[in-house]
């Protein structure tokens, strides 16, 4: 899989590019906003963290 980043300062042009890219979704193109990608990276980091049950949290609340 290859990833590319496109920076566009013009809203009109950005909308045109997004429409064009959406037309390629059926061919396997995946579109992710940079903000969503950052959120996904942060979420992925939490996957390796140890979790605590809610009951245990309540028992050790103080």
């Amino acid at each position: 899989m290859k990833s590319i980043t496109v920076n566009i300062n013009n809203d009109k042009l950005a909308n045109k590019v997004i429409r064009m890219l959406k037309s390629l979704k059926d061919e396997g193109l995946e579109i992710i906003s940079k903000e969503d990608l950052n959120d996904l990276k942060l979420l992925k980091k939490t996957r390796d963290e140890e979790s605590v049950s809610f009951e245990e949290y309540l028992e050790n609340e103080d």
Side-chain angles (χ1 to χ4, degrees), residues 1-5 37:
M1 175 186 288
K2 294 190 181 207
S3 299
I4 62 169
T5 302
L37 184 60

Side-chain angles (χ1 to χ4, degrees), residues 22-35:
K22 284 183 177 180
S23 71
L24 299 172
K25 278 184 150 184
D26 291 339
E27 295 182 38
L29 179 71
E30 180 181 29
I31 303 168
I32 301 173
S33 74
K34 185 175 180 179
E35 292 79 11

Side-chain angles (χ1 to χ4, degrees), residues 19-60:
R19 277 197 310 272
M20 186 214 36
L21 292 173
K22 284 183 177 180
S23 71
L24 299 172
K25 278 184 150 184
D26 291 339
E27 295 182 38
L29 179 71
E30 180 181 29
I31 303 168
I32 301 173
S33 74
K34 185 175 180 179
E35 292 79 11
D36 289 345
L37 184 60
N38 290 338
D39 290 345
L40 290 172
K41 285 179 181 178
L42 290 172
L43 182 60
K44 184 176 183 249
K45 285 183 183 181
T46 65
R47 295 271 172 133
D48 297 330
E49 293 177 0
E50 184 179 330
S51 61
V52 176
S53 71
F54 187 64
E55 290 79 19
E56 185 178 341
Y57 170 77
L58 291 176
E59 288 173 6
N60 298 302

